[in-house]
Each structure stands twice: as structure tokens, then as C-alpha cells.
Amino acid sequence: MLLTASDLEKTFGSRTLFTGVGLTLAAGERLGVIGPNGSGKSTLLKILAGLETPDEGEVIRRRGLRCVYLGQSDHFGHDTAMEVVAASARRAGGAAGTGPDAEARAARELSRLGFDGVTHEVDRMSGGWRKRLSLARALVTDPEVLLLDEPTNHLDLQGVLWLEKFLRGLPPTVAVALVSHDRAFLEGAANRIIELSPAYAGGTLESEGGYQKFLERREQHFATLEQQRSSLANKVRTDTAWARQGVQGRQTRNKTQVEAGAQRRAQLQAIDRLRQTAGQSAAVGFEATQRKTNRLLVGHNLSKRYGDRTLFAGLDLVVSPGDRLGLLGPNGSGKTTLLSVLTGRLEPDTGTVKEAQDLRTVYFTQAREALDPTHALREALCPAGDAVLFRGQPVHVAAWAERFLFSKEKLKVSVGDLSGGEQARVLLARLMLQPADVIVLDEPTNDLDIPSLEILEEQLAGFPGAVVLVTHDRFLLQRLATSVIGLLPGGEARVFATHDQYLRATERADGPRTAVPRGGKQRRSADSGAAGASEPGPAKLTFKEKHELDHMEDAILHAEEQVAALEALAAEPGVVADHRKHAAVCEQLGIGQRHVEHLYARWEALSARA
């Protein structure tokens, strides 16, 4: 065992984050840590890293354990990628070495993580490349334990997929513990999940496997809890009936039975407290105008450029009630710009956007500038008076705040002192008060915890109007989106049935990639000229391989049709409602998608030898 934590407790002021928490971490494990906002996930990770000390309990680390913590923000004190990683290698000493050896080791790690040179300027890197640089800085120290706090922050979908694949490919000697609210990322990157929450008697609930397995485990846990409560409630009713028989009846009972009755009542109260805590989540519900118009938004031949770069061009779309339209593309591809065009905040360079008459659109922006940091929470939720008007009925501001998990005491706190997740809940609370035909959401899942994400997902699915959203949350897209607009390189914008189809299209658009050996030099192809002609060429195709290549397109087409059928099945409401059935379909879908990827790889390999 690399690391063992037992009976950990941590408080801030009068508030207890967690108590009685224990966990272990072994080589090869990929532990996903989840929990509501404020449950202490980041603090727990820092305690495991030795950056903070618990109030109670202990963390036992194997002697000489190399443990590296990567926080939510990436800070670098150097100008280039090479300087950042080489400095980390020199600080580590030992196997990392010093001088030229440190630079050689840094260059090797940078190459391994996709940097094609060592002079990349840190200030000009995107969020995704900064995250890769953080990993390179950590890996150059040859860590045995990696602790990652929200590693998918600021990554686009391609960056998240890269990170997921990278973590799965780490050596079996390395253990990883990561905090994340990205459910699809947890499903792909973790092989054990632990939820940190006061809803559990021991403060945590663990499950082997990915996120789907954890959902099944949690469902079983609360089903068992309900059975225990039902049994205890029956016994408590019997105890109460006996107690009401009077003193003469009680004298026929022994002291042990009286104590057992008191213990059962205490157990029932404890279970009820756990049930109440487990039921707390942001009560997000959107108000619709009940408009019957079939076409709410119609975009024709839309295009937009910035300088010499085309963000999107030739885009046609129709948004109708019931549509759940997802926008996908790398960071900087123009997703937020397209939202601005659709909502009239920005004019397209070509094309038109026509709205239904008196269309009511509400816009959730990812920018927190929409909130005045100097206002108290009370003022942010209710600018005037003591009540808000929700669906025609007045609701007191304290009751309104409670729906979004804010206590009465917090109403006096300044918005600027709220966490990112709390500010997101404030924006959602304001959004709820506006009747809408179309809800436009730009990264609504940023900073939201999983319980809030689940409620948001449920309410968006039940909204009778249309939803247009930008998100990197694959779990949300898979369950919600009826179609996806993908922004591809070169300004191409296409409509896809699912985000998986979009991902396959981006892989094909990138084209086959040449393998890069460990030394970093690309293998020369057969048409690389006279210099490559002297090298032995690839073996000719056998008769069987030629036959396989001739029928490969049909095989891929058939495999993609099977994947599309499974995707449709996974989106059916009856399947989504049944966790076990949905998990089985998702497992089949994963197998099918991997089969398609294998066929494409095989096709490229055979084509290269044809």
C-alpha cells in the first residue's frame, strides 16, 4: 500500500468539512474523489499530499514515497516549457539529475506529452497545453502518486479525451487520486470511486469500477438504508405503543428492553438525518412560456470570421420546442461567438437569424461578470423587497435561497466571497425567474457539483421549450442532446446526431497520424524520396489481407450503424430511467465504439501497405 489515511477530520471555523474519513491508495489505482461543493474534496487531497494537516486522524505514507499534487490552477515561474520542466527535474534531484541530465529528462517528458519543441512560451499556451506542461513538470520527478484537483478545468473536449487516455496509459506502478465533477471522465479514467458526503454514516461511500458502477452502488446503499428505516420505524411504533400502556405495563418489562427502545429511536433519528442530507441539492426548475410555435430560431447560411480565420461558415439550423442542441468544438473555435450570433448579441458576417415573434430567450453566461461582487447574496437573489415572484407566486428570499442550498446566515455574504459553484447557483436562481422559449447556456456545468448537475440535467430534459448549450460534459450531452453542431477545422460547421459521431469526424479530419518512436524522429514513408528508398519497405499484402481491405469500408459502415443504433437506444427515456439497463447499453456502446476505432486503425495500416 502506498498511502493509508484513517479517521481524518477537518474543520474551518465552526464548520466541519468531514469527519472519520479513511481511504487507501495502492499502485495502479485510479481513484476518483467526488462529493458536493464544500464537502472538502480539495482539502482532503491536500492532506494526502502533506500540504495541510488534519485536525484528527493520520496519513501513513510508504517510506520515501514520491507524491506530487497538481492544483486547479497552473502557475509557472519560467518563460519556456523546457525551463519549467528542467527546473522541476533539478529540484527533484536523485534520478532526475542535474545540469544536462535534467534537461535531457525534461526534453524526454515534453516529447512524451506531445510538445514538438522545447521553446514553447508559457504565456502563449492554451489551457490544455498548460495542463500538459503541469503533467510534464510532475512526471519528470518520477512520481509514485499523482494527486490531481479538477484536472479537466479549462480543457476542451479533445483535451479531456487526451487526458483520460493519458491517465489510463500510466505505468502500473503509479497511483492517481483525482477530484472531478466530470462524470464521463470519471467513467473513463477511474477504476475506483469514493464520494465524500455527510449523507453517509462514515462520511464516505466507495465503489470499485467507474462512475456507472458507483451509481449502482449508491442506489443499493440508499435502498438498504430505506429498508433499515422501515424496520426500525415499525419497532419504534411498537416501543411507543408499549410506553403508552402506562407505568403498570412498563413494570413488566426489564431495563434492557427500555434501553433497546431508546437506542432504536436514536438510530431512526440518525437515518432520517442522513436521508435529509442526501436529499439536499439545488432545486433548479425553469419557467416556460408554453409557446406552441414550431420554429423558434432559424439560422440560414451563417458565417463569422475574426481577422483571417473563419470560425464557421455556411451554417443552417432550425431550433424548435423540445430541441436540445449541443455546440462542440475546441477552445477558441467560436462556440461562444455562435451563441452570441444566435441570440442577436453579435451580427453574422453573412446569413440571417430569424426569431419567432416576441421570442423570449434567457442566456446563462460562463462569465461571472454578470454578478456584482460587492452585492450581498440577498441582493443578488432578490434586488428589491423580501420576495421573488416565481411562477406567479411570491417566495420569500430566505426560502428561495434555501432551494439553492444557501443558509439564512449566508444571505449577508458578499457575492465576491462566494465560491465558483455558489456563484453558478446564483446565476441559475436568477435565470429561473425569467419565463423563456429558449434557454441558452454557455458552460453551465462549470463549478457545479454532481448533485447539482443531476438536477440541472433533469430540469433541462423536462423543459418544454428549446435548449442550446455549450458544454464539455459528455455525460450531460449523451443524456440530453437531441443533436450536436460541431465546429471543425477550417470553419466547417456540421450537424451530428451525437457527440460520438462528432468525435469520429474530428479524428478523420485530422487524418492518419504518423507514429513517433521514442527517439522523437518520425518514421519516413515510402514516398520520401531516394533517401528512404534504400530502407526495406513494408511487406506486401497477402491475398487474405487484400480481401480484408476490399471489404473494410463495408465493415466500418456496418459497425457505425450498430453504434448509431446503440446510441439511440441509450438515449431512450425508458433506458435512461433504468440505471442497470442504461449501464449495460453503455457498456455495449463502448465495445462498439472501440471496434470502430480498431477498424479504422486496421484500414490505415493495410492502406499504407497496399
Side-chain angles (χ1 to χ4, degrees), residues 15 40 53 55 80 187 269 340 358 364 395 397 441:
R15 180 166 162 260
T53 57
D55 298 331
T80 69
E187 177 68 22
Q269 291 171 355
S340 297
D358 299 323
F364 180 97
V395 180
V397 62
L441 303 148

Side-chain angles (χ1 to χ4, degrees), residues 306-361:
Y306 272 124
D308 295 332
R309 189 163 72 94
T310 300
L311 298 180
F312 50 85
L315 176 61
D316 296 319
L317 62 88
V318 176
V319 179
S320 303
D323 284 349
R324 306 288 183 264
L325 179 63
L327 303 186
L328 287 175
N331 287 342
S333 61
K335 301 184 294 296
T336 299
T337 300
L338 178 54
L339 289 184
S340 297
V341 169
L342 293 178
T343 55
R345 288 168 170 75
L346 197 64
E347 288 293 324
D349 293 340
T350 65
T352 58
V353 176
K354 293 185 179 180
E355 297 182 349
Q357 187 174 1
D358 299 323
L359 184 75
R360 302 184 74 168
T361 302

